[in-house]
Amino acid sequence: MKVLFIEWASFGNEDMKEAFLAEGHTLVCFPFSNKDARHDEVIEAELSSCLIREAPNIVFSFNYFPVISSACKKHGIRYISWIYDSPYVMLYSYTAINPCNTIYVFDKEVYMEFHQAGIQTVHYLPMAANVDRLDKVKENFLYDISFVGSLYTEKHNFYERMTSLSDYTKGYLDALMAAQMQIQGYNFIQESLAPVMDDLYQALPMDPNPDGVETKEYLYAQYVINRKITGLERTDLIRAIAKKHPFDLFTHDHSFSLPNLTNHGSVDPYKEMPLIFKQSKINLNISLRSIKSGIPQRAFDIMGSGGFLLSNYQNDFLDDFIPGEDFDFYESKADLLDKIDYYLSHEEERLAIAKNGHDKLAAGHTYRHRVREMLNDIE
């Protein structure tokens, strides 16, 4: 099968290209900028010319782009996209229902939202890991506990721009966020914003896209409030852990500091991140709160690297992995601290869980497995 691979600055490009080739398919790459991904006549014309010239069987991209769907619809070519970002507002474009589309999301709750609305172009597919590549990294433990990811404390985040909120709205949001931080496995932010929507809009105007069906509540919940909650949650948990144990942090925010914490700054996801996962006795996953039930890419890479994964609760884990056997999850801050103490003092059990997670992922959750699943779906 000939695949036109939409190549942009996406995580996973090399792993996915390798998987297509390993499965015996031919690849042609189309350089793409995702800045004008909704509608751009120049990009659409260039893609149309490429489709005519190369005559691929399918077009593939990480994340979904309306401009690509429009070109594929025009030429009657199947467009397969695999969304790994959450939230992802372009999923709500009217073009998502184009019959040429097969759109995969890694979050089962998001899939169910579209399925229950009768939309048949959106499907559920968990993320994956390139275990063969990750297995080539051999290192000894250097860190007890580590976290790789954003703290959402960087300057100019959306929440901090809302400086004109009323005292009522500030109090309402503070209480709402505090309540959400106590709950794992269910997010109620979007459905709770109606009483303060007018004030939010006055403080930070955000409008749905003209070609989309997303609501204002969706935009403020997923791009503003849930990111703020994630930042609060991650920093709170890291502070609590660092009071008891040395903690190694790998993040974009170089200014974040605490006693007993080493901030290493950001790391390269291909060359450095697998080393950290292998070198850490405990790798934390603290999911972005806009991910409803899905397993983040970070968790797949931790397990694929042979690292021990301790995560917040995400329901989709239970479809394929067993807590306490392949990974483990925490239900509260106290539970997290208790499990860190337990696994640091029970090395054999921790190593056995890490091996089980790695082996189960290698047996059924690599990029090659996902390529087969995608192409089987369209045959």
Side-chain angles (χ1 to χ4, degrees):
M1 185 173 286
K2 190 173 186 179
V3 180
L4 184 67
F5 191 97
I6 304 299
E7 192 166 34
W8 60 284
S10 165
F11 182 83
N13 277 348
E14 298 308 313
D15 290 331
M16 197 64 178
K17 287 192 287 186
E18 180 184 314
F20 275 121
L21 293 172
E23 289 296 308
H25 305 292
T26 302
L27 276 184
V28 177
C29 292
F30 180 82
F32 180 72
S33 169
N34 63 339
K35 293 181 180 179
D36 298 303
R38 285 186 173 271
H39 178 71
D40 186 293
E41 292 181 358
V42 173
I43 292 174
E44 190 170 338
E46 291 175 352
L47 180 56
S48 290
S49 296
C50 183
L51 292 174
I52 294 169
R53 182 177 66 253
E54 298 293 344
N57 300 101
I58 66 167
V59 174
F60 173 83
S61 72
F62 277 116
N63 287 349
Y64 171 77
F65 301 107
V67 67
I68 297 173
S69 179
S70 296
C72 289
K73 179 184 177 183
K74 178 180 178 181
H75 294 278
I77 295 175
R78 173 66 59 183
Y79 173 33
I80 299 176
S81 58
W82 191 10
I83 296 175
Y84 65 74
D85 274 333
S86 178
Y88 193 71
V89 71
M90 279 187 283
L91 178 59
Y92 294 86
S93 164
Y94 289 120
T95 62
I97 64 172
N98 285 346
C100 62
N101 293 337
T102 301
I103 304 170
Y104 293 102
V105 295
F106 75 97
D107 191 317
K108 187 178 286 185
E109 281 198 30
V110 173
Y111 156 70
M112 289 302 300
E113 174 188 340
F114 283 80
H115 176 72
Q116 290 168 357
I119 296 172
Q120 299 179 356
T121 54
V122 178
H123 307 265
Y124 169 63
L125 188 69
M127 299 311 299
N130 185 347
V131 178
D132 288 341
R133 173 175 64 85
L134 298 173
D135 280 348
K136 295 174 183 177
V137 181
K138 306 293 183 184
E139 290 294 333
N140 296 320
F141 290 126
L142 292 180
Y143 317 116
D144 281 351
I145 309 150
S146 70
F147 176 73
V148 182
S150 175
L151 297 181
Y152 295 97
T153 55
E154 293 83 356
K155 294 180 180 179
H156 309 303
N157 65 61
F158 285 132
Y159 192 89
E160 305 306 328
R161 296 182 193 179
M162 298 191 298
T163 56
S164 63
L165 293 175
S166 68
D167 289 341
Y168 171 82
T169 300
K170 290 177 184 177
Y172 184 93
L173 293 178
D174 285 344
L176 186 64
M177 292 189 294
Q180 181 65 81
M181 286 175 64
Q182 301 303 313
I183 304 295
Q184 298 285 345
Y186 174 66
N187 190 291
F188 47 76
I189 298 300
Q190 185 171 330
E191 64 197 59
S192 304
L193 291 182
V196 294
M197 276 303 306
D198 289 344
D199 202 10
L200 291 174
Y201 187 81
Q202 291 299 318
L204 180 70
M206 297 178 71
D207 289 298
N209 289 279
D211 73 335
V213 296
E214 69 274 10
T215 64
K216 287 183 179 179
E217 286 82 358
Y218 171 86
L219 295 175
Y220 286 94
Q222 309 307 338
Y223 286 94
V224 183
I225 311 302
N226 277 325
R227 290 189 178 189
K228 179 63 175 179
I229 294 172
T230 304
L232 293 170
E233 184 170 41
R234 289 181 177 179
T235 54
D236 179 56
L237 293 177
I238 289 169
R239 284 192 179 95
I241 296 167
K243 289 179 180 179
K244 299 183 65 179
H245 302 281
F247 194 98
D248 287 271
L249 176 66
F250 302 84
T251 190
H252 299 294
D253 185 353
H254 294 259
S255 67
F256 187 83
S257 63
L258 292 171
N260 218 23
L261 178 144
T262 303
N263 186 338
H264 299 265
S266 58
V267 293
D268 181 88
Y270 269 80
K271 297 178 180 178
E272 298 173 290
M273 197 165 63
L275 281 170
I276 297 161
F277 295 153
K278 286 181 180 288
Q279 292 170 334
S280 302
K281 295 178 181 178
I282 295 176
N283 293 279
L284 292 183
N285 174 59
I286 309 168
S287 298
L288 178 60
R289 281 290 184 157
S290 57
I291 301 175
K292 297 181 179 182
S293 66
I295 308 173
Q297 181 64 51
R298 178 193 300 108
F300 277 96
D301 285 329
I302 290 169
M303 289 190 287
S305 299
F308 174 81
L309 170 64
L310 183 56
S311 175
N312 66 291
Y313 177 80
Q314 295 288 114
N315 193 59
D316 290 358
F317 271 115
L318 305 185
D319 289 341
D320 297 296
F321 303 100
I322 300 173
E325 182 175 310
D326 305 315
F327 79 108
D328 212 346
F329 68 85
Y330 62 88
E331 300 181 77
S332 64
K333 185 197 302 186
D335 187 39
L336 172 61
L337 296 174
D338 288 344
K339 285 183 174 170
I340 286 173
D341 290 342
Y342 179 85
Y343 283 116
L344 286 178
S345 61
H346 290 76
E347 183 171 21
E348 280 192 25
E349 184 176 352
R350 189 187 73 239
L351 293 175
I353 291 173
K355 184 179 187 305
N356 288 341
H358 168 274
D359 292 351
K360 185 170 287 188
L361 198 147
H365 302 280
T366 69
Y367 285 96
R368 292 188 65 175
H369 290 108
R370 298 297 185 249
V371 165
R372 293 172 204 160
E373 292 172 70
M374 289 177 183
L375 298 186
N376 286 341
D377 281 348
I378 65 171
E379 289 181 353

